[in-house]
C-alpha cells in the first residue's frame, strides 16, 4: 500500500480543538495510519512541510453544483458577444469540471450537493469517481422534493413536486433510483420566490413524516430546507438529519434543545442571506430584499443561540463562485463562534451533516483528506481565503492540489496580492439562478 509520511507539521484537529506542534502524520492507502510527535531526524522519503499547519480536508455541506454561470461573473466563460456562434449546452460540463478543480484548490475535499438542474451533481459524482476529472468527494440529493409550488415552476428540473404521503414516498424512491445519496425536502417556501411566503410550513406533518420514514428505512439521510418556524418545527420533530438555513430557530429554544439532544445538524448558510440582502440586492424583487435583510439578522441570532444550546453546526456556503466557499467559514467565525469552532463547522461538523463519520478529523483511522496551509488559520481564518497559502491537498491519501512546498513558510504577514474578494457569482439556486428552459 502506498505510504506518505508528512514531517514537521503543526497538526490542528478542530473536531477535538487540539493542536500538536511539530507533528508527523503517516498516510497509508486512503487512511491516516499514525499521528505522532516528530522527533529526531525525518525518516527517508518523508515530506518535510516546513512547520506549516495541517487541517482535515474542508467540507462544504450546502452547495449547488451547477453549470449555470449567469450569476458567476469571472468564473465561467467570457460574456457572449453578438455575432458569436451560439454556445453549445455541453460546454456546461467543462464549467462543472472547472468547479470541481476550484473546490480542491481551496482545500475542499468533500461537497454535499443540495440541489442541481438536470442531475448535474449525479453525473459529476460519477465523473470524479471514474477519474475523468479531479474533484472533491460528492454527495448529492438528486432532485429536491417539494410540494406543488411556485418554486417548482421557477426551478424546473431541480425540483420533484409531490403531494400527499404516498407521493412523497414515491418521490424518495425516485431519487434513490436516480442516484441520490440522501434526500432533501422543502419544509417551507423559499426566500427567493416572490409568490412563496417562507414563514408557514409548505408541507404537512404527514408529508414530512412520510419522507423521513421512507428515507431512513432505506438508509438515506434527510436534509430539510427550513426558513419559517412552523415548517422548521415539523422537520425537526419528524426527525430530519440536517436543517438548512434554520434562521428562525432563535425564536424556539426548545427546538434547539431537541436538535442538540438528537444530534440534528444546523447548516446556517449566512452567505446566502448576505447575497440576497446586499450583494445581489439590485437584481431582486424589493419585497424579497427587505425580507432577506430581516432574515440575515435572524440567521446571526440563530447562530449564537445554536452555539449556546450545543447544536452541531456545519459550514455550507450556498453561494459562489466555486472556491470562494471559505467565506462562509470566516462569517461563522466572525459571527460569534470564533476560529476553532468555525473550523470545526467546516470539518467535523460538516462531516456529521454529510454523514461521513471518518472524514473531517485528523486522527488515526480517519480518511486521509488533508490540507497543508501557510500560517495559522486558528489565529486568522481569513488566510484560508488566500489561494497561495493552500500548499498541499490530499484526498483519500492522494495529492489532488497544491503548490510547491519549497518556498519558505509564510508566517502571519499580510499577502497583498491574492486574497479572494467577497464572493462574486451565483448565489444559491434556491435564491435565484434562472431555471433551465
Ligand atoms: Zn441552497
Amino acid at each position: 500500500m502506498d505510504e506518505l509520511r508528512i514531517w514537521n507539521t503543526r497538526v490542528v484537529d478542530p473536531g477535538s480543538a487540539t493542536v500538536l506542534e511539530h507533528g508527523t502524520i503517516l498516510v497509508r492507502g486512503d487512511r491516516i495510519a499514525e499521528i505522532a510527535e516528530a522527533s529526531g531526524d525525518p525518516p527517508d522519503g518523508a515530506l518535510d512541510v516546513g512547520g506549516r499547519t495541517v487541517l482535515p480536508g474542508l467540507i462544504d455541506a450546502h452547495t449547488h453544483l451547477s453549470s449555470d454561470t449567469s450569476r458567476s461573473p469571472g468564473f465561467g466563460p467570457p460574456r457572449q458577444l453578438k455575432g458569436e456562434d451560439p454556445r453549445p449546452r455541453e460546454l456546461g460540463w467543462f464549467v462543472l469540471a472547472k468547479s470541481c478543480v476550484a473546490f480542491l484548490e481551496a482545500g475542499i475535499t468533500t461537497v454535499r450537493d443540495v440541489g442541481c438542474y438536470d442531475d448535474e451533481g449525479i453525473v459529476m459524482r460519477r465523473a470524479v469517481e471514474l477519474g475523468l476529472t479531479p474533484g472533491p468527494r460528492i454527495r448529492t440529493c438528486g432532485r429536491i422534493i417539494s410540494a406543488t409550488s411556485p418554486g417548482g415552476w421557477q426551478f424546473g428540473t431541480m425540483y420533484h413536486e409531490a403531494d400527499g404521503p404516498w407521493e412523497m414516498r414515491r418521490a424518495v424512491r425516485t431519487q434513490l433510483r436516480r442516484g441520490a445519496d440522501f434526500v432533501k425536502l422543502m419544509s417551507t417556501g423559499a426566500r427567493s420566490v416572490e409568490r412563496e411566503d417562507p414563514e408557514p410550513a409548505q408541507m404537512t406533518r404527514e408529508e414530512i413524516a412520510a419522507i423521513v420514514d421512507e428515507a431512513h428505512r432505506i438508509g438515506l439521510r434527510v436534509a430539510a430546507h427550513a426558513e419559517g418556524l412552523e415548517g422548521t418545527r415539523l422537520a425537526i420533530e419528524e426527525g430530519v438529519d440536517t436543517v438548512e438555513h434554520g434562521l428562525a430557530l432563535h425564536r424556539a429554544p426548545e427546538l434547539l434543545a431537541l436538535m442538540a439532544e438528537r444530534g440534528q445538524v444546523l447548516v446556517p448558510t449566512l452567505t446566502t442571506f448576505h447575497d440576497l440582502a446586499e450583494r445581489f440586492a439590485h437584481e431582486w424583487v424589493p419585497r424579497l430584499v427587505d425580507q432577506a435583510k430581516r432574515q440575515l439578522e435572524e440567521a446571526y441570532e440563530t447562530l449564537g443561540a445554536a452555539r449556546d444550546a450545543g447544536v452541531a453546526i456545519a459550514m455550507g456556503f450556498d453561494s459562489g463562485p466555486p472556491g470562494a466557499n471559505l467565506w462562509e467559514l470566516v462569517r461563522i467565525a466572525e459571527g460569534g463562534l470564533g476560529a476553532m469552532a468555525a473550523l470545526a463547522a467546516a470539518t467535523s461538523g460538516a462531516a456529521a451533516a454529510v454523514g461521513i463519520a471518518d472524514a473531517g478529523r485528523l486522527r488515526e483511522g480517519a480518511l486521509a483528506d488533508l490540507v497543508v496551509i501557510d500560517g495559522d488559520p486558528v489565529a486568522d481564518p481569513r488566510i484560508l481565503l488566500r489561494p497561495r497559502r493552500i500548499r498541499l491537498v490530499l484526498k483519500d491519501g492522494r495529492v489532488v492540489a497544491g503548490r510547491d512546498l519549497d518556498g519558505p513558510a509564510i508566517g502571519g504577514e499580510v499577502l497583498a496580492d491574492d486574497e479572494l474578494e467577497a464572493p462574486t457569482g451565483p448565489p444559491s439556486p434556491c435564491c435565484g439562478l434562472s431555471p433551465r428552459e
Side-chain angles (χ1 to χ4, degrees), residues 211-261:
I211 291 173
V212 173
D213 179 66
E214 190 67 30
H216 283 177
R217 200 186 71 252
I218 54 184
L220 301 183
R221 293 165 63 79
V222 181
H225 172 103
E227 295 187 43
L229 192 53
E230 285 321 303
T232 307
R233 181 186 303 281
L234 295 181
I236 292 168
E237 289 178 355
E238 293 306 322
V240 303
D241 300 287
T242 67
V243 174
E244 312 299 312
H245 319 302
L247 60 126
L249 279 165
H250 68 96
R251 298 184 231 149
E254 73 282 7
L255 292 179
L256 289 169
L258 190 58
M259 290 180 72
E261 186 192 316

Side-chain angles (χ1 to χ4, degrees), residues 62-64 114-115 144 158 184 191 225 244-245 269 272 316-319 427-431:
H62 188 121
T63 190
H64 297 273
V114 288
I144 301 168
M158 186 180 290
K184 181 176 178 197
R191 65 201 168 283
H225 172 103
E244 312 299 312
H245 319 302
T269 68
T272 201
F317 183 40
D318 198 8
S319 184
S428 143
C430 34
C431 73

